[in-house]
Amino acid sequence: MTVSHILGYPRIGAQRELKKATEAYWKGDISRGDLEATGQALRLSHWQIQQNAGLDFISVGDFAFYDQVLNVSVMLGAVPARFNAQHEVSAGNVDLDTAFRMARGRAPSGTPAVACEMTKYFDTNYHYLVPELHEGQTFTLASDRLFNEVDEALQAGFTPKVTLTGPLTWLWLGKAKGSEFDRLSLLDSVVDVYSEILARLATQGIEWVQLDEPALVQDLPLAWQQAYERAYHRLQSAPLKLLVATYFGALGDNLSLTTRLPVAGLHIDAVRAPGQVESVIDRLSPHQVLSIGLVDGRNIWRADLAALRERLLPLKVRLGQRLWLAPSCSLLHVPVDLSQETELDSELVGWLAFARQKLDEVVTLARLIDNRTTPIDEQRVSEATYALDKRRESTRIHQPAVSSRLAAITPQESQRQSPYAARAATQRRALALPLFPTTTIGSFPQTDEIRAARRAFKAGELSQTDYEARMREEIAFVVERQQALGLDVPVHGEAERNDMVEYFGEQLEGFAFTRFGWVQSYGSRCVKPPIIFGDVTRPVPMTVKWSEYAQSLTDKPMKGMLTGPVTILQWSFVRDDQPRATTCRQIALALRDEVLDLEKAGIRIIQIDEPALREGLPLRQHEWQDYLAWAVESFQLSAAGVKDSTQIHTHMCYSEFNDIIGAIAALDADVITIETSRSDMELLDAFQDFAYPNEIGPGVYDIHTPNIPDVAWMVALMEKALEKIPAERLWVNPDCGLKTRGWAEVEPALANMVEAANQLRQRY
Ligand code: GLN
Ligand code: ZN
């Protein structure tokens, strides 16, 4: 029989129960006991769902109140000293509030301390807490949570497989603190604790433990490759079976090292890397299990069961009992349950599968290749085939005008008329800006009243006319404040936007929105990415009336504000029936029309935000060039149609720029504003080293804190910037948009910022 399993299930709950409970606990509205009870109820219900679906194992260890990587850090006793938890660590029992303090700096009990750093998990939008590693650090088993969850599952009568981040991936995700040292020097002590964990799990009666090692799909230094063999040879002695899980890409040059690991099974991603399946099977030893991930764990499309059956049959012949089936990765990265989407039209629903539905797909596939189908399996296959045939032909997806426009793109369309130097001269004349022009990144505080107005409009309680009047009032207020502050390039404030991607997706054709399609982003935070299902077009202008109105209130050049094609792509679920590059170009052309309409309406400065450009980088370096080429081309396509005198800005945040500085220069934006204040302008080094030719606004005001930056501090930051970039090419602006801040902070902060620019002008 083919074993069906999953690598992990979403923990937030179909109604985001976990989010609500943890936030209520942090606020003091519910007790620790209530929170634990919610966690337990969610686990039990998720296990029940998995068992009812017919999976051979239910997944234990994928639950976390905040983050699964943090769970492992806590379990290894890797709690930084500032959290004062030495006693808890040595007692083998790190408190939940200690874990929350590591994640968010504070918790209902314990002294606040600086939270651990958080960053994106591989190429997903899920953020994990970065393990802090110190030279000579030792580890010790410091939490019973996992074992308790195993007991809970066993007592409820389930057959668990335990999942845990593997020791090397955990170290790989960690960051050396204090003095630089080789993280691998800690491996032996880490593996000691893993051995202890595995031994404990074995005594509990666990047969299989899945160790997630997605680091194996990245470029690893030789020492890390060798460490894999060493570590797993030591873990091999555990009296249970290990399944090493890899996902998000191909094993590539780590292929033979991975297949040689002395473990009972491997999991590979056959969605992202379909080509590797046969070569992995060739190298597998005769008793090893291979779990093949053919159901997409990163996207929301329904699986083509009939086609997958054909793909699997020859593999089944080769592997027999050793074939396991699973989604490509943990289902953490997709929404929970499609059956809640009662407001999506039924045709579209027919094309989709969320986590709950993907369980059925895996189980049915296993029964299909075993020839033990039930009527329900037959029905699932025929429904999938029918829906996907429809999808292939649907006129909602394929618009001939879009493909012919794409096919007709000429190289000139992605180039501005003149090179930057010539444009800069024209713009200087046209815009008459002072040295060190001041501006903001686009959004102003999103007050409760603004949110309430948007909500009332959506709910039909506020008429279109009243809503627009309300938004114009807000724009007038924001413009007036900026005039009073003396900002050189004002913005309209983005009051009408709930989210920088959703706002555009809702107005573009080819996008769909779910009601409950939440995916965990970090901790209790969830996002609801749009679904790009069809060719993208822009039926009518999206931002022009707001920008035009804002411009009518001032003689200063009003900056129009758009989200760039790569960011829209990156923060959506994307079609799987054409390359990402194609979808990105389609979005780019829609934005190009918007840019040109803004220009026609008299907007002389247009900003196209691309905060997600860097996070789109593929996991393997040899794929970077191809990605950057189409990403850059897409940005250019959206921007380059304007006259020389129209100034194009772009904005990027939470980025290191070293890897992509060439691509940033190739965007050829006239001005780029970036987040730099927290790095003390160090992020500008990449621009200096590259001799970046265009204008830069290095953020001088960290918008992530409520602190009001003082004038001298901002001047000092600009002085640092001036060591790297000439004055004629520098702008003065905050790090990012101000929507999460309040007016009480924003006004004095911007007043100081304008004053800093004035002082600089006197000196240069
Ligand atoms: N224009 C957007 C804003 O100001 C940019 C947000 C972002 O960079 N994430 O909010
Ligand atoms: Zn930003």
Side-chain angles (χ1 to χ4, degrees):
M1 250 176 45
T2 305
V3 167
S4 55
H5 73 124
I6 59 170
L7 273 56
Y9 198 72
R11 46 189 171 246
I12 53 173
Q15 302 289 329
R16 286 182 296 158
E17 292 90 337
L18 189 59
K19 171 198 179 64
K20 291 165 194 165
T22 39
E23 288 178 357
Y25 172 67
W26 294 335
K27 264 202 264 161
D29 293 347
I30 65 170
S31 69
R32 170 83 65 93
D34 296 336
L35 177 63
E36 291 283 5
T38 304
Q40 185 178 35
L42 281 169
R43 287 192 294 272
L44 286 170
S45 121
H46 296 157
W47 293 333
Q48 193 64 57
I49 288 169
Q50 293 167 51
Q51 189 182 53
N52 292 352
L55 292 169
D56 292 291
F57 297 104
I58 55 103
S59 177
V60 176
D62 50 1
F63 180 83
F65 279 111
Y66 205 96
D67 162 40
Q68 76 272 7
V69 178
L70 173 66
N71 277 6
V72 172
S73 304
V74 163
M75 200 166 185
L76 299 176
V79 183
R82 64 182 179 282
F83 298 101
N84 285 323
Q86 288 79 349
H87 177 72
E88 293 164 38
V89 169
S90 39
N93 187 17
V94 174
D95 192 76
L96 181 59
D97 276 0
T98 303
F100 282 145
R101 285 190 298 133
M102 288 170 71
R104 13 187 344 263
R106 66 210 122 85
S109 71
T111 321
V114 179
C116 297
E117 200 180 312
M118 193 166 60
T119 193
K120 295 202 175 198
Y121 188 65
F122 296 87
D123 63 352
T124 72
N125 239 323
Y126 175 82
H127 301 66
Y128 70 94
L129 283 147
V130 179
E132 291 183 19
L133 305 171
H134 291 274
E135 189 155 23
Q137 187 175 355
T138 55
F139 301 88
T140 163
L141 184 51
S143 169
D144 279 344
R145 236 168 223 285
L146 179 65
F147 311 117
N148 296 339
E149 288 175 15
V150 167
D151 276 338
E152 207 174 86
L154 291 170
Q155 270 161 29
F158 296 109
T159 309
K161 168 176 61 82
V162 170
T163 133
L164 208 57
T165 304
L168 277 142
T169 292
W170 183 80
L171 269 180
W172 181 248
L173 295 176
K175 208 166 154 181
K177 294 279 167 170
S179 55
E180 224 9 83
F181 71 100
D182 180 8
R183 286 170 291 167
L184 282 177
S185 63
L186 305 179
L187 182 62
D188 283 340
S189 177
V190 169
V191 169
D192 285 342
V193 184
Y194 270 83
S195 301
E196 205 180 329
I197 295 170
L198 295 178
R200 274 272 293 269
L201 292 170
T203 63
Q204 289 182 287
I206 292 294
E207 184 192 1
W208 281 97
V209 174
Q210 164 195 324
L211 292 173
D212 284 18
E213 292 285 7
L216 286 166
V217 310
Q218 287 201 291
D219 301 315
L220 292 177
L222 184 63
W224 283 80
Q225 293 179 320
Q226 290 166 342
Y228 263 97
E229 213 181 295
R230 198 157 39 102
Y232 278 88
H233 267 283
R234 288 192 47 212
L235 293 176
Q236 164 193 39
S237 56
L240 42 64
K241 295 178 190 154
L242 297 181
L243 178 81
V244 166
T246 68
Y247 42 81
F248 301 153
L251 292 167
D253 62 339
N254 299 321
L255 176 75
S256 13
L257 107 84
T258 308
T259 51
R260 276 203 319 265
L261 292 177
V263 291
L266 284 186
H267 170 87
I268 55 170
D269 187 333
V271 175
R272 285 280 183 90
Q276 68 176 345
V277 179
E278 277 74 11
S279 37
V280 171
I281 298 180
D282 289 343
R283 285 171 177 76
L284 225 51
S285 63
H287 49 266
Q288 269 179 323
V289 155
L290 183 64
S291 162
I292 301 184
L294 264 177
V295 165
D296 198 345
R298 289 288 297 276
N299 215 330
I300 40 64
W301 303 106
R302 182 176 205 157
D304 187 343
L305 296 172
L308 289 180
R309 173 177 180 273
E310 296 310 304
R311 169 88 176 94
L312 280 167
L313 282 175
L315 305 176
K316 178 72 187 171
V317 172
R318 290 190 68 184
L319 288 164
Q321 298 299 318
R322 294 154 55 214
L323 174 63
W324 286 22
L325 288 184
S328 58
C329 59
S330 167
L331 298 171
L332 177 68
H333 310 290
V334 289
V336 179
D337 189 356
L338 182 64
S339 70
Q340 300 189 103
E341 299 298 333
T342 46
E343 281 177 25
L344 271 188
D345 67 88
S346 61
E347 186 182 25
L348 194 55
V349 166
W351 302 342
L352 306 177
F354 292 177
R356 168 70 194 82
Q357 287 67 40
K358 287 173 191 283
L359 306 182
D360 293 341
E361 292 181 338
V362 172
V363 168
T364 288
L365 269 178
R367 292 200 289 238
L368 276 176
I369 56 172
D370 289 352
N371 281 322
R372 51 186 173 98
T373 46
T374 62
I376 182 116
D377 297 312
E378 312 287 350
Q379 192 189 333
R380 282 179 193 158
V381 177
S382 60
E383 279 177 10
T385 304
Y386 177 81
L388 294 174
D389 281 347
K390 287 274 196 206
R391 181 179 167 210
R392 271 183 285 270
E393 297 154 9
S394 169
T395 50
R396 291 171 68 189
I397 294 183
H398 306 284
Q399 302 204 31
V402 175
S403 25
S404 41
R405 188 172 176 199
L406 235 67
I409 295 175
T410 62
Q412 289 90 300
E413 281 178 281
S414 43
Q415 297 304 320
R416 296 289 296 270
Q417 282 162 14
S418 309
Y420 165 75
R423 295 192 318 258
T426 311
Q427 290 164 18
R428 214 162 288 140
R429 263 176 274 124
L431 299 168
L433 293 168
L435 202 57
F436 302 110
T438 53
T439 191
T440 63
I441 308 305
S443 58
F444 267 85
Q446 291 248 339
T447 57
D448 290 344
E449 298 82 74
I450 295 176
R451 288 176 207 279
R454 269 206 319 262
R455 249 195 326 269
F457 175 52
K458 261 215 158 128
E461 293 153 16
L462 196 64
S463 73
Q464 174 95 21
T465 335
D466 290 346
Y467 171 72
E468 292 190 358
R470 180 67 197 82
M471 288 298 125
R472 274 198 302 275
E473 218 174 274
E474 189 59 37
I475 290 171
F477 172 72
V478 168
V479 173
E480 189 259 309
R481 292 324 307 146
Q482 292 174 90
Q483 301 267 56
L485 286 160
L487 283 154
D488 302 304
V489 174
V491 295
H492 79 286
E494 302 181 24
E496 77 289 4
R497 302 183 190 177
N498 36 355
D499 171 276
M500 65 185 290
V501 169
E502 193 169 298
Y503 179 75
F504 291 93
E506 278 175 344
Q507 300 184 78
L508 290 167
E509 230 151 77
F511 284 73
F513 290 85
T514 61
R515 283 184 70 202
F516 303 103
W518 297 101
V519 179
Q520 189 176 9
S521 170
Y522 65 91
S524 68
R525 294 292 189 98
C526 302
V527 293
K528 197 151 63 69
I531 295 171
I532 305 180
F533 67 87
D535 287 346
V536 176
T537 55
R538 185 201 66 142
V540 288
M542 304 181 281
T543 64
V544 176
K545 65 172 181 243
W546 305 122
S547 289
E548 207 173 13
Y549 172 66
Q551 181 65 83
S552 76
L553 303 170
T554 172
D555 295 332
K556 302 227 167 121
M558 175 59 54
K559 182 160 67 167
M561 198 60 55
L562 304 173
T563 302
V566 182
T567 299
I568 292 182
L569 181 87
Q570 201 57 36
W571 291 350
S572 302
F573 285 117
V574 176
R575 335 173 23 171
D576 61 350
D577 58 347
Q578 68 183 18
R580 290 172 77 76
T582 306
T583 306
C584 200
R585 286 192 186 96
Q586 292 183 356
I587 304 168
L589 290 176
L591 290 168
R592 181 184 182 90
D593 295 344
E594 184 73 11
V595 167
L596 293 174
D597 279 343
L598 282 169
E599 184 182 59
K600 240 185 274 161
I603 303 302
R604 292 170 286 163
I605 302 184
I606 300 166
Q607 177 172 311
I608 305 171
D609 290 327
E610 284 291 22
L613 184 74
R614 191 185 187 285
E615 70 179 62
L617 278 178
L619 291 170
R620 292 279 194 174
Q621 272 195 33
H622 68 85
E623 294 167 6
W624 286 11
Q625 215 184 344
D626 176 58
Y627 159 74
L628 288 171
W630 61 253
V632 166
E633 192 215 345
S634 297
F635 178 89
Q636 292 172 330
L637 270 178
S638 61
V642 294
K643 296 181 285 197
D644 280 352
S645 57
T646 299
Q647 190 170 66
I648 296 289
H649 288 215
T650 189
H651 165 71
M652 289 177 200
C653 40
Y654 25 78
S655 264
E656 300 259 343
F657 301 103
N658 290 311
D659 295 336
I660 54 164
I661 185 67
I664 292 178
L667 297 179
D668 198 23
D670 298 300
V671 182
I672 181 171
T673 54
I674 54 174
E675 174 180 334
T676 39
S677 76
R678 274 187 296 183
S679 82
D680 210 23
M681 296 289 148
E682 268 166 26
L683 289 174
L684 275 184
D685 290 349
F687 290 81
Q688 182 188 23
D689 296 345
F690 191 81
Y692 181 80
N694 303 9
E695 289 155 58
I696 311 178
V700 289
Y701 154 21
D702 177 8
I703 58 92
H704 301 93
T705 81
N707 306 339
I708 293 157
D710 62 40
V711 179
W713 190 74
M714 287 189 275
V715 169
L717 279 178
M718 287 303 291
E719 297 282 5
K720 285 208 178 108
L722 279 156
E723 289 165 15
K724 309 175 199 219
I725 312 285
E728 314 77 67
R729 291 201 268 113
L730 279 173
W731 286 61
V732 178
N733 47 263
D735 268 344
C736 192
L738 303 167
K739 68 171 171 222
T740 56
R741 298 265 64 94
W743 277 104
E745 306 145 22
V746 162
E747 289 223 64
L750 290 180
N752 287 356
M753 191 186 88
V754 170
E755 173 54 23
N758 283 332
Q759 293 189 6
L760 287 162
R761 284 172 198 148
Q762 277 152 28
R763 293 187 211 175
Y764 290 88

